[in-house]
Amino acid sequence: MSHPELDVRVEPAPLGLEGLEELGPLVGILVGSESDREAMEPAIAELGERGISHEFLVLSAHRDPRGVAEYASTAALRGVRVIIAGAGMAAALPGVVAAYTDLPVIGVPLTSSKSVMGGLDALLSIVQMPPGVPVACVSVNGARNAAILASRILAQGGGYPGTPGRPTLEL
Ligand code: RP5
C-alpha cells in the first residue's frame, strides 16, 4: 500500500533474487561481523581440506536484517545444504537464519572483544531458540566442529539415492 500524498511506501521492498540461476556451494558460512572472521577460519580450513564447496559472507542480523533474510530464504534454491552461522554478543544471526530457511543451521557462539561474558552470552543466545525453530550449537569458538558436523550432515545425503538434489559427495 502507498500514500501518494506523502510519497511514503509502507510495504517493504521485495527481496532481491539476483544470482539464483547460479548454483551455490554446499555450505554457507555466515558471520555477524568482519571482526568474527578470524574465529571462523578453522571452519573454512576444515571444509577446504574435505573438499566441500563453501562460501563465506559477513551478514549482520541487526545491521543488515534484509540481507540476512535474502540470503537465508534463497540459499536452498542455490543448492546450499547446510548453513554455519557464527556470531558474538547478542548472537541473533543463527536464529534469524533458521527463521528464513528449512536448511540445517549450525550456530557457533563467538568470543567478541566487546563481549561482557566471553562468549557465554552468545552461547546462551544461540541455544535458547523457541520450539519449532531449531539451531544446532557447537562450543564457544567451535568453528572447526561446526564444519565437521556440516560434513556429517552432508554425508547423510539429501534423501534416497536418485533423489533430485542429493549431494554427490564422497566423504
Ligand atoms: C555481533 O557483534 C558480531 O557477531 C560480533 O561478534 C559482535 C561485534 O561486532 P562488531 O562491533 O565488531 O562489528 O553481532
Side-chain angles (χ1 to χ4, degrees):
M1 185 193 306
S2 64
H3 301 270
E5 68 279 8
L6 297 174
D7 196 30
V8 174
R9 293 184 70 82
V10 295
E11 60 194 2
L15 296 174
L17 297 176
E18 301 83 16
L20 276 187
E21 67 281 358
E22 293 172 25
L23 201 59
L26 288 171
V27 179
I29 304 175
L30 307 182
V31 289
S33 166
E34 188 60 47
S35 66
D36 297 325
R37 181 183 292 267
E38 190 178 341
M40 290 301 283
E41 275 171 3
I44 298 168
E46 187 68 34
L47 292 175
E49 283 172 22
R50 289 167 182 259
I52 297 173
S53 59
H54 54 278
E55 61 190 359
F56 179 91
L57 291 90
V58 178
L59 278 175
S60 169
H62 297 114
R63 294 167 175 153
D64 184 13
R66 182 165 295 280
V68 174
E70 180 179 330
Y71 178 86
S73 59
T74 58
L77 294 172
R78 295 171 49 241
V80 174
R81 287 294 171 261
V82 184
I83 296 177
I84 297 172
M89 299 174 75
L93 182 63
V96 173
V97 170
Y100 281 102
T101 182
D102 290 336
L103 293 173
V105 178
I106 305 171
V108 186
L110 299 177
T111 304
S112 160
S113 60
K114 297 162 192 148
S115 167
V116 293
M117 296 176 78
L120 178 60
D121 37 12
L123 173 68
L124 293 175
S125 173
I126 292 172
V127 298
Q128 295 193 92
M129 288 297 294
V133 190
V135 169
C137 184
V138 295
S139 61
V140 174
N141 297 326
R144 181 170 175 239
N145 262 5
I148 295 171
L149 180 55
S151 76
R152 291 181 179 179
I153 293 170
L154 289 169
Q156 303 308 307
Y160 294 108
T163 300
R166 178 185 166 98
T168 50
L169 277 178
E170 289 186 22
L171 302 175

